Amino acid sequence: MKPQPVKLNIKFLKLSKMAVVRYSQKAIQRAAKIIKRGGSVAFPTETVYGLGANALDKKAVRKIFRVKGRPLDNPVIVHIAEVKDLSKLAKNIPKEAKILARKFWPGPLTLVLFKKKIVPKEVTAGTNTVAIRMPKNKIALELIKTTNVPIAAPSANLAGRPSPTTAKHVFDDLGEKIDLILDGGKTKIGVESTVVDLTSKPPQILRPGGIHFEELKKVLKDVKLHSSLLGKKLKGKAKSPGMKYRHYAPRAPLILFNEKEIIKKIQNLIKKYQKQGKKVGVLASDETKKFYRDADLVLSPGSRKNLKRVAQNLFETLRKFDKKKIDMILAETFPEKGIGFAVMHRLKKAAGRINARAKNKFGTE
Ligand code: TXA
Ligand code: MG
């Protein structure tokens, strides 16, 4: 028999440069070693996957900015595993911060505090504050404890793209550019942590997320939403630098519709854009997806009555439109209560590309 030529499995070779590993004690040891050596490891949290590096190692932190293509003026969150580590990184900690940490940590809440010298300016983008959180995820907590250093971690996506909620999303965006991906399955919450600035009085919510405004108001006497979250235009320097960029965005332009006659409007636009030769996708809800059968792709992140599910599936849904090469996404709005507020914040940001044609309060058609 003639010997068969050896076929190289290119896909395997590509994958083998960087590993995706499931949770095990050994995997955590390996990840911790990489971080201590100055490398980067993607890991799951309860919100989205993060791209972690030793927060006290400038060079390692610079590398995660580079890998993501993140603007240098957008600081990253430092992840800790024990409340006592807060005072190693931050100073002048107000009592409100301690109350919030006690109540919501581990959990999807990030506290912005005045930084101590030990935190490099690379982490905080040159500001005098540092954002800190304790994630509620076994893998994340074990990783932080095993490395025994605070871990700086932005979401593990390319800058501007929807945050990753599975290890596969991380691989799709960052592939071999990082040293290791710890696969912990799909993340529970699906949108990022709530960022609260405790250096201003009263404390301000800079980014809505997994802990709702309503929950914070129950614990803090006085807390407000940053003006940018009230539909006002940003003036001057952004408080949380992440606010000024288009974010969470699929590649296709996304148009967000408000509640009035939403179905009819979307149905008409499906036809209009298809006539222009475009592949049209609709981001609907379980209740409404049946109305858009003419569209090229209809996806629902969940029921309007289950906003937690909508949040959990939101970023994955946005990524699916890209996979199917959709040219235009027509998206429904969701109720802005509870986690729905964070869902709508992400959708409005994703719609940012077409803000110039603003017609309603969402800056969309
Ligand atoms: O749930 C999350 O927060 C995830 C997981 C991985 O922990 N992380 C995350 O990181 O979403 P990132 O880098 O995608 O978003 C961090 C947000 C940005 O809006 C950034 O501007 C803000 O936190 N931020 C970080 N440091 C800050 C600081 N010192 N002052 C104000 N805002 C800050
Ligand atoms: Mg991010």
Side-chain angles (χ1 to χ4, degrees):
M1 214 174 88
K2 246 172 86 181
Q4 291 293 307
V6 180
K7 260 199 189 160
L8 278 181
N9 187 340
I10 301 294
K11 209 171 156 202
F12 173 74
L13 280 181
K14 266 190 157 176
L15 276 170
S16 67
K17 273 197 196 165
M18 191 279 314
V20 182
V21 291
R22 291 211 157 267
Y23 169 78
S24 69
Q25 299 255 305
K26 229 172 113 188
I28 296 284
Q29 294 292 343
R30 180 173 166 193
K33 227 187 232 168
I34 292 172
I35 290 187
K36 276 194 272 194
R37 270 203 328 250
S40 54
V41 173
F43 62 95
T45 76
E46 77 281 37
T47 57
V48 301
Y49 276 71
L51 177 59
N54 178 355
L56 307 179
D57 178 344
K58 294 174 193 178
K59 253 171 97 183
V61 173
R62 261 188 238 132
K63 192 176 154 205
I64 51 177
F65 274 80
R66 216 166 37 237
V67 163
K68 272 184 61 98
R70 185 184 183 93
L72 293 171
D73 63 353
N74 192 7
V76 293
I77 297 171
V78 178
H79 297 69
I80 59 174
E82 276 168 279
V83 178
K84 69 173 167 40
D85 289 342
L86 194 58
S87 53
K88 292 185 188 154
L89 304 165
K91 60 183 182 188
N92 308 339
I93 302 171
K95 70 171 187 309
E96 287 89 346
K98 289 176 189 153
I99 295 170
L100 291 175
R102 220 174 294 135
K103 172 90 186 160
F104 296 110
W105 280 1
L109 181 70
T110 295
L111 306 177
V112 175
L113 297 160
F114 289 110
K115 82 174 194 80
K116 276 194 172 164
K117 262 210 185 109
I118 186 175
V119 184
K121 66 176 191 319
E122 281 75 6
V123 169
T124 64
T127 62
N128 61 350
T129 60
V130 57
I132 304 173
R133 92 174 188 97
M134 189 194 295
K136 191 176 183 172
N137 176 287
K138 179 181 146 119
I139 300 177
L141 290 172
E142 271 189 38
L143 179 64
I144 302 164
K145 282 184 192 156
T146 309
T147 53
N148 205 21
V149 293
I151 295 186
S155 50
N157 52 286
L158 282 174
R161 300 267 301 141
S163 294
T165 52
T166 66
K168 173 79 171 53
H169 299 161
V170 179
F171 185 81
D172 287 347
D173 273 18
L174 304 176
E176 300 102 63
K177 290 195 268 178
I178 57 180
D179 299 312
L180 187 73
I181 301 176
L182 285 173
D183 186 350
K186 185 166 164 163
T187 58
K188 276 213 176 89
I189 296 179
V191 291
E192 303 86 341
S193 62
T194 303
V195 179
V196 183
D197 179 12
L198 289 141
T199 66
S200 61
K201 277 205 173 115
Q204 283 193 75
I205 297 179
L206 303 180
R207 178 179 74 179
I211 300 291
H212 319 155
F213 187 31
E214 294 89 330
E215 293 174 279
L216 288 173
K217 277 196 289 197
K218 272 188 212 155
V219 179
L220 291 183
K221 265 202 303 275
D222 206 3
V223 52
K224 62 175 194 182
L225 291 168
H226 187 271
S227 58
S228 67
L229 303 173
L230 300 169
K232 288 181 194 152
K233 280 249 164 69
L234 273 184
K235 271 192 217 136
K237 200 163 178 250
K239 182 85 198 183
S240 186
M243 290 170 170
K244 65 182 187 224
Y245 300 105
R246 184 183 186 234
H247 257 132
Y248 319 114
R251 293 201 170 87
L254 181 146
I255 306 178
L256 194 54
F257 293 83
N258 63 13
E259 308 276 340
K260 247 173 139 196
E261 292 184 38
I262 190 167
I263 294 169
K264 226 169 102 199
K265 272 189 194 164
I266 292 182
Q267 284 170 337
N268 289 337
L269 277 176
I270 292 171
K271 287 196 201 104
K272 179 182 148 188
Y273 288 121
Q274 282 178 335
K275 269 191 201 142
Q276 295 173 6
K278 291 188 167 129
K279 266 179 93 172
V280 183
V282 178
L283 193 155
S285 56
D286 286 358
E287 288 83 355
T288 57
K289 61 185 179 197
K290 58 179 179 285
F291 297 116
Y292 307 120
R293 293 209 176 101
D294 289 342
D296 297 276
L297 180 65
V298 185
L299 296 174
S300 162
S303 159
R304 301 177 71 79
K305 293 190 204 104
N306 187 351
L307 296 172
K308 270 192 181 167
R309 181 61 55 79
V310 172
Q312 199 194 19
N313 292 327
L314 181 71
F315 288 139
E316 181 161 49
T317 307
L318 292 176
R319 281 174 179 264
K320 280 185 184 158
F321 287 113
D322 283 342
K323 277 254 145 73
K324 296 280 178 197
K325 305 227 161 19
I326 292 298
D327 300 306
M328 180 63 88
I329 303 167
L330 309 175
E332 289 188 355
T333 48
F334 288 87
E336 285 191 284
K337 55 172 196 264
I339 194 120
F341 190 58
V343 166
M344 281 305 297
H345 172 259
R346 306 309 189 262
L347 279 174
K348 289 177 203 173
K349 284 264 189 178
R353 190 183 286 182
I354 45 170
N355 266 354
R357 291 171 32 214
K359 283 192 184 157
N360 65 23
K361 70 168 179 161
F362 296 139
T364 59
E365 282 196 349

